[in-house]
Amino acid sequence: MEIVTVISIMTAVALGILLWNRHTAIRKLEEDLKWQRDANMQLLKQESAKNEVHACMEPLNVEKISEAIRTEGFIPETDGNWVSFKVQGEGYYVDANRLPLIFIIKGYGVDPNEWEMDLLREAAHQMSDDLVMVKATFSDDGKDMRFFVAARDRNYESFRANLTSYLGILEDGQRVMNEKYHKMVDEKREAALAAKPYAPQVKQENKVLS
């Protein structure tokens, strides 16, 4: 009877040791697997970061310009080497025909019956001289006007980071030109009134490109 008891105890102890060793081995295996998973995830993150940096450093092209515009929250449309998009309903264009030199453009139709064209051209010329980055030009027939910024962006990240600044520069150019134009119109009107002191002064609303 005592022998049976001893054997039972020894068997139980051996079984317990076996189960503990198995538990320890399983736990170690789980820890090894977790370490391996973490190491793999870290490698994937590093590889993804390298790919992202590489993609950002790739030479700028029409596809990268469109991607940057989309990243900034606008909807691009491509037509050859031109990319168009709208900001609050106003149209903008990117001319990518001479990469890495690009032109960001905002255009308007101009009705000669609504504008004093000689003064408008002079205002555009003065604005182009005064501001460094933005210029204004007219089409050959004088019915279209465009403000543009010329820049060199060699990769996606550079263009994306500068895009909102380019749009702001275009807006500054338009604002400064409008101010100069209306100042010229007022000076011309005042000169005309001075030449004809009895002519009634008629108040006119300022015309703004829109």
Side-chain angles (χ1 to χ4, degrees):
M1 186 70 176
E2 292 180 0
I3 294 174
V4 173
T5 303
V6 171
I7 292 173
S8 298
I9 293 172
M10 292 177 64
T11 301
V13 170
L15 182 61
I17 292 172
L18 179 63
L19 291 174
W20 174 256
N21 289 339
R22 185 175 180 182
H23 171 73
T24 303
I26 292 173
R27 185 172 180 181
K28 185 176 184 305
L29 178 61
E30 290 176 344
E31 291 176 351
D32 290 344
L33 290 173
K34 183 178 183 301
W35 179 87
Q36 188 63 50
R37 283 197 305 270
D38 292 344
N40 290 341
M41 287 298 297
Q42 189 64 29
L43 287 173
L44 287 173
K45 288 180 181 179
Q46 292 175 357
E47 190 65 25
S48 176
K50 288 180 182 178
N51 291 338
E52 184 175 346
V53 170
H54 178 70
C56 289
M57 294 299 108
E58 288 180 353
L60 195 65
N61 55 35
V62 171
E63 289 73 22
K64 293 296 180 183
I65 290 172
S66 296
E67 182 180 341
I69 292 171
R70 188 176 294 105
T71 300
E72 290 302 304
F74 310 119
I75 301 175
E77 295 183 1
T78 60
D79 182 7
N81 288 324
W82 289 79
V83 183
S84 62
F85 62 101
K86 288 187 176 182
V87 180
Q88 297 181 346
E90 295 193 321
Y92 292 82
Y93 302 87
V94 179
D95 178 357
N97 282 288
R98 284 171 279 182
L99 291 170
L101 182 64
I102 58 174
F103 297 89
I104 302 89
I105 303 165
K106 186 177 185 182
Y108 295 94
V110 179
D111 186 348
N113 296 320
E114 296 182 2
W115 295 83
E116 296 195 38
M117 295 303 297
D118 56 335
L119 298 185
L120 186 61
R121 289 180 182 276
E122 180 60 25
H125 177 74
Q126 289 186 16
M127 181 279 296
S128 298
D129 284 346
D130 291 349
L131 302 185
V132 176
M133 289 194 66
V134 58
K135 308 299 177 185
T137 61
F138 291 84
S139 61
D140 292 339
D141 61 8
K143 294 182 179 180
D144 293 292
M145 179 182 186
R146 70 175 188 174
F147 297 85
F148 69 90
V149 172
R152 284 186 180 274
D153 282 308
R154 296 188 176 276
N155 53 61
Y156 161 88
E157 186 58 35
S158 174
F159 177 72
R160 187 199 62 77
N162 292 328
L163 179 58
T164 53
S165 295
Y166 296 150
L167 301 182
I169 292 169
L170 290 171
E171 293 300 315
D172 287 343
Q174 179 182 344
R175 175 183 54 79
V176 170
M177 193 212 67
N178 281 330
E179 290 173 354
K180 289 181 178 295
Y181 171 79
H182 291 302
K183 181 179 179 182
M184 292 177 186
V185 170
D186 290 341
E187 290 173 349
K188 182 178 179 179
R189 185 183 304 127
E190 289 172 2
L193 290 173
K196 299 178 181 179
Y198 298 107
Q201 184 171 356
V202 180
K203 181 176 179 58
Q204 296 183 7
E205 294 185 0
N206 287 343
K207 182 70 176 174
V208 178
L209 282 173
S210 60

